[in-house]
Amino acid sequence: MRITIFGSGYVGLVTGACLADAGNQVVCVDVDPAKIARLNEGEVPIHEPGLDEVIERNRQKGRLRFTTDAAEGVAHGLFQMIAVGTPPDEDGSADLQYVLTVARTIGLHMSDYKVVVTKSTVPVGTSDKVRLALEDSLATRGVALEFDFVSNPEFLKEGAAISDFMRPDRVIVGTDNPRVTELMRALYEPFTRNHDRLIVMDIHSAELTKYAANAMLATKISFMNEIANLAERVGADVEKVRIGIGSDPRIGYSFIYPGVGYGGSCFPKDVRALERSARAVGYESQVLAAVEAVNVRQKRVLFDKIVAHFGGALAGRTFAVWGLAFKPNTDDMREAPSRVLLEALWAAGAAVRAYDPVAMEEARRIYGPHAALVLCESADAAIQGADALAIVTEWREFRSPDFDAMRAALTAPVVFDGRNLYDPQLMKRFGFTYYGIGRGAALPAARAAAPPR
């Protein structure tokens, strides 16, 4: 099949690469000439395990091309996929300007029947706006051409996007035309041969499904963080509570790990956008508002623990931070908890020595040269001479460190573990003052050293 994808960001690149890998002819269109130049030279602008190999394989075989020429893209594909960003507007609602611009562009250049597919995460009712924008563009040209519209939201996890696309849990297809259902079934057949995972519904339901899925997962995270905060105050261990409730198959273990809040490009944006969508139709979603409020508060939990331990005397101190990306296996720092911690430490007069396995360049892009930030080449280098260690992202390489070497490298053996990677009793035996999330009081109850002069 011949497919055009507008937008060469995370969703567009993964979708294009995987569809090309199944033998389709794919053209990815983007308005950023520098990005297209890099892609045509074989350089992938995002970090996603396995993506660069899939792109290069299909680029070499001529099944995957990149261009800034919108007219070429519209002429190429029966399927016109919209995978551009929907960043939050000033009020938190989804900004649809890029989606609607693509719709008008398709209407401006199309000369035959097209299936217009929205992959971008958009509020309910966006399909009506896209259809109207495309129809207006055709009317301006004075032509009447047939097209169909499909809502086909993506469910890709950063860090596991290739496997998610190749072996999907479900493929949501929102359409009002049975003919389009069969076209979409044929498109996804290589990825659903073992089990038909195509779920067909009306367009508005498909649009809401994507938001509802992300909001449900975000709700589980915020709920577990609420339980963790309660556990600290009543002397319980939230990790034992997690195992106890996760054993119930109605709850399960997914997304009930306490920590320092969710981040990234999806959950924060989508929860806010869904809450604003509810408000726009006269409904106040108290649950969604609470999920967002809990997450905002949770991102400061690690900093609050640091302030309490050092009695507020942070000026002149240096803190090691392990993990900058919002989750492992990505370099994405959008709305990452690490950013809240770093900026709070700097505002308190502290310096930071940070390390992340893949997000160092992204940190340099965001913060540039910063007098209070040293980006280190390894986890061991980051803790050298630091007053304490804060763990923000649960990268695998942080799970089994040399605790003796860690204690020797730190000025004081204090660890603030935002992901509960370590056992509190083990840390106590190694001589650390250890703060987890929802794991009771610090062990041992050591007093902080005097602030530096």
Side-chain angles (χ1 to χ4, degrees):
M1 293 187 176
R2 300 175 71 83
I3 304 154
T4 297
I5 300 175
F6 284 89
S8 295
Y10 185 83
V11 174
L13 287 178
V14 172
T15 301
C18 291
L19 287 173
D21 213 46
N24 299 293
Q25 296 292 320
V26 180
V27 170
C28 292
V29 181
D30 201 280
V31 296
D32 185 346
K35 180 187 292 185
I36 293 299
R38 290 175 64 188
L39 287 164
N40 281 325
E41 292 170 2
E43 184 180 349
V44 180
I46 62 173
H47 177 85
E48 177 62 37
L51 179 60
D52 49 354
E53 292 93 339
V54 179
I55 287 178
E56 184 59 22
R57 177 166 65 244
N58 288 281
R59 198 174 67 86
Q60 292 294 334
K61 292 184 177 180
R63 294 195 295 249
L64 181 60
R65 295 187 289 116
F66 303 97
T67 183
T68 57
D69 189 338
E72 176 189 351
V74 175
H76 170 81
L78 165 64
F79 294 96
Q80 301 282 310
M81 292 189 168
I82 303 176
V84 294
T86 53
D89 216 334
E90 290 183 2
D91 64 350
S93 60
D95 185 348
L96 300 177
Q97 62 171 312
Y98 305 114
V99 171
L100 298 178
T101 295
V102 172
R104 286 189 284 268
T105 299
I106 294 170
L108 179 65
H109 295 293
M110 64 185 284
S111 58
D112 55 5
Y113 171 73
K114 302 293 182 184
V115 179
V116 180
V117 182
T118 297
K119 298 292 292 182
S120 303
T121 302
V122 295
V124 177
T126 298
S127 57
D128 304 325
K129 297 177 180 179
V130 169
R131 193 188 304 272
L132 183 60
L134 206 156
E135 288 174 346
D136 286 349
S137 191
L138 289 172
T140 300
R141 295 171 53 198
V143 298
L145 295 171
E146 186 183 6
F147 67 89
D148 280 303
F149 183 84
V150 180
S151 175
N152 176 221
E154 53 84 19
F155 295 93
L156 306 175
K157 298 187 295 292
E158 290 193 46
I162 300 298
S163 61
D164 283 349
F165 196 101
M166 297 292 196
R167 294 178 291 278
D169 296 321
R170 76 286 210 196
V171 177
I172 301 296
V173 172
T175 181
D176 53 13
N177 188 334
R179 172 182 62 180
V180 176
T181 299
E182 295 312 308
L183 286 171
M184 295 297 288
R185 193 181 303 279
L187 179 65
Y188 280 102
E189 194 271 342
F191 311 104
T192 60
R193 295 185 69 182
N194 293 335
H195 183 71
D196 185 5
R197 300 184 183 276
L198 205 78
I199 302 173
V200 182
M201 59 186 70
D202 63 275
I203 294 172
H204 284 191
S205 296
E207 290 173 331
L208 183 55
T209 295
K210 169 62 176 180
Y211 272 122
N214 280 354
M216 174 61 80
L217 297 176
T219 299
K220 292 183 73 173
I221 294 170
S222 281
F223 175 81
M224 205 62 200
N225 283 332
E226 285 278 71
I227 296 300
N229 295 336
L230 177 61
E232 284 191 3
R233 289 157 175 80
V234 300
D237 185 343
V238 73
E239 290 299 317
K240 293 180 171 59
V241 175
R242 178 181 63 79
I243 294 169
I245 66 174
S247 61
D248 185 333
R250 297 172 299 175
I251 298 172
Y253 291 104
S254 297
F255 288 85
I256 62 168
Y257 289 84
V260 288
Y262 57 77
S265 63
C266 294
F267 287 6
K269 172 177 70 72
D270 293 351
V271 169
R272 288 194 292 266
L274 185 56
E275 199 244 333
R276 301 311 186 275
S277 294
R279 193 181 300 169
V281 295
Y283 181 73
E284 182 183 354
S285 177
Q286 296 176 343
V287 170
L288 292 175
V291 168
E292 170 68 7
V294 168
N295 192 60
V296 170
R297 183 180 64 194
Q298 197 68 19
K299 288 182 178 181
R300 288 190 61 88
V301 162
L302 221 53
F303 178 71
D304 291 342
K305 291 177 182 291
I306 293 171
V307 169
H309 176 82
F310 288 99
L314 303 187
R317 295 191 181 277
T318 298
F319 293 91
V321 173
W322 284 1
L324 297 172
F326 86 95
K327 61 181 277 188
N329 298 319
T330 181
D331 62 351
D332 194 344
M333 288 180 62
R334 284 174 287 185
E335 303 217 31
S338 65
R339 297 177 66 170
V340 175
L341 177 61
L342 264 59
E343 290 161 22
L345 289 171
W346 293 333
V352 173
R353 296 174 59 82
Y355 168 73
D356 187 283
V358 302
M360 305 292 270
E361 285 303 317
E362 181 66 2
R364 291 187 183 96
R365 185 190 69 80
I366 294 169
Y367 293 117
H370 195 294
L373 174 63
V374 176
L375 294 172
C376 301
E377 295 302 314
S378 68
D380 291 339
I383 60 177
Q384 296 298 321
D387 290 285
L389 166 65
I391 302 171
V392 187
T393 312
E394 64 275 31
W395 285 96
R396 186 182 299 276
E397 69 177 84
F398 302 157
R399 293 182 181 273
S400 298
D402 183 334
F403 290 114
D404 288 328
M406 179 191 292
R407 189 180 64 250
L410 291 167
T411 300
V414 185
V415 174
F416 299 90
D417 184 356
R419 297 298 179 180
N420 288 351
L421 297 186
Y422 310 135
D423 176 74
Q425 295 298 330
L426 176 66
M427 297 301 285
K428 181 179 181 179
R429 289 199 296 272
F430 274 102
F432 286 93
T433 297
Y434 175 78
Y435 296 88
I437 303 295
R439 311 203 75 174
L443 296 175
R447 214 169 68 180
R453 297 182 179 180

